Each structure stands twice: as C-alpha cells, then as structure tokens.
Amino acid sequence: MSGLLSGLAVARKSGDVARLAEAIPYARWMRIAPENATGELLTRMRFHPELIGNTFLPAIHGGTLGAMLEMAAIFHLLWETETETVPKIVNITVDYLRSARPLDVLAAAKVTKQGRRMVNVYAEAWQDDRSKPVATANAHFLVKAAIDEPSAL
C-alpha cells in the first residue's frame, strides 16, 4: 500500500481530512491542505511569498492556482468517493477569472460525472468572497486502471 493510501486509510478512520496533505509532499510544500470545519470539504492554500508571480501587483502565480485546484479535486475524490486508488489526472482546464491577491486561497470541488474508470470534477477557488472566484477548473481523472477491468475478449 502506498504512503498516500495508507494515509488515506488513517485519515478516514480518524475522520481527520487534514492528514491527507501529510501524505503528499507537494501539498505540504505548497501549504495546501483540506479542511472540513464547516461540514463542507474545502482546500486551503496558505499564502507565502514564494507564490507571488507578478511582483508589481502583487498577484499569486496562475500555475499555483491551477495546482491548488487540481489538489482540491484530488482531495475531494480521495475523501468523498470510495476510491481505493490514487486519482491520476488525464487533463485539466483552468479559467483564470481575476488576479489573486497575496491572501489565502480556498477551493471547493464537486464530482460532475463519475464513470467506472473516469471522473469529471469541477473546482472553484476564491479568496475572501466566495461569490468572486479567482479561478475555476474542469478536470478528468482516471480512478481505476484499465488492467483492473476484466478483458472483453
């Protein structure tokens, strides 16, 4: 069992979703972590100066927003679905709606369609006002490897 899946099992057993981020080094480095204090699974990216892409505004780099939306979708899939595999991203489309100021960024994700192997996820990120998102994303994930399926032949 991978470190992430064993961390997922521990997090599910304890009900502490924040433990998911402990199992993902990139999430820890980016200071991205899930939280469910309000009853809704949200993902928070804590602001730190390394996130700034445009120093004149200053604004958070778009790549970090895209990475945060992808992590929000992965946390959602790991926590809200019964998947026992690590979701593998197939593609992601990010729409940047406004510049993100040097503040924490929150994101929420929801599954828009789940098939046997593929899942479509919509994610939205905002800062201090949820009605003013800074970016949204639509992503497709492979949640079950094709080798797990019985052959049609």
Side-chain angles (χ1 to χ4, degrees), residues 2 7-9 12 14 17 27 29-31 36-37 41-42 51 62 73 75 87 90 92 116 133-134 137 146 150:
S2 74
L8 175 62
R12 282 180 174 162
S14 69
V17 71
W29 183 77
M30 291 285 291
R31 300 182 194 167
N36 59 358
L41 180 63
L42 299 177
L51 297 177
F75 288 140
V90 175
I92 185 168
R116 289 181 299 148
V134 294

Side-chain angles (χ1 to χ4, degrees), residues 7-151:
L8 175 62
V10 170
R12 282 180 174 162
K13 187 174 182 177
S14 69
D16 184 9
V17 71
R19 289 181 177 223
L20 290 178
E22 296 171 10
I24 304 173
Y26 182 69
R28 287 194 317 262
W29 183 77
M30 291 285 291
R31 300 182 194 167
I32 298 172
E35 57 190 39
N36 59 358
T38 61
E40 178 186 15
L41 180 63
L42 299 177
T43 299
R44 180 182 298 270
M45 181 169 68
R46 300 233 177 253
F47 173 74
H48 52 102
E50 290 82 13
L51 297 177
I52 296 294
N54 183 333
T55 57
F56 293 106
L57 292 179
I60 293 177
H61 192 277
T64 63
L65 290 173
M68 191 249 189
L69 288 165
E70 181 181 339
M71 292 301 302
I74 290 171
F75 288 140
H76 184 84
L77 289 173
L78 289 172
W79 194 253
E80 300 288 338
T81 67
E82 298 297 322
T83 185
E84 295 296 331
T85 61
V86 178
K88 295 179 182 173
I89 190 141
V90 175
N91 69 344
I92 185 168
T93 302
V94 178
D95 293 322
Y96 298 99
L97 305 175
R98 56 182 46 93
S99 66
R101 295 169 287 126
L103 300 170
D104 286 0
V105 182
L106 290 164
K110 67 177 181 180
V111 172
T112 53
K113 183 180 179 194
Q114 182 163 4
R116 289 181 299 148
R117 291 184 290 174
M118 297 291 296
V119 177
N120 300 347
V121 180
Y122 173 80
E124 183 177 64
W126 67 92
Q127 292 187 299
D128 50 359
D129 186 353
R130 191 171 185 166
S131 66
K132 295 179 180 175
V134 294
T136 62
N138 284 297
H140 300 101
F141 290 90
L142 180 66
V143 291
K144 193 170 187 177
I147 59 173
D148 294 339
E149 295 289 321
S151 174

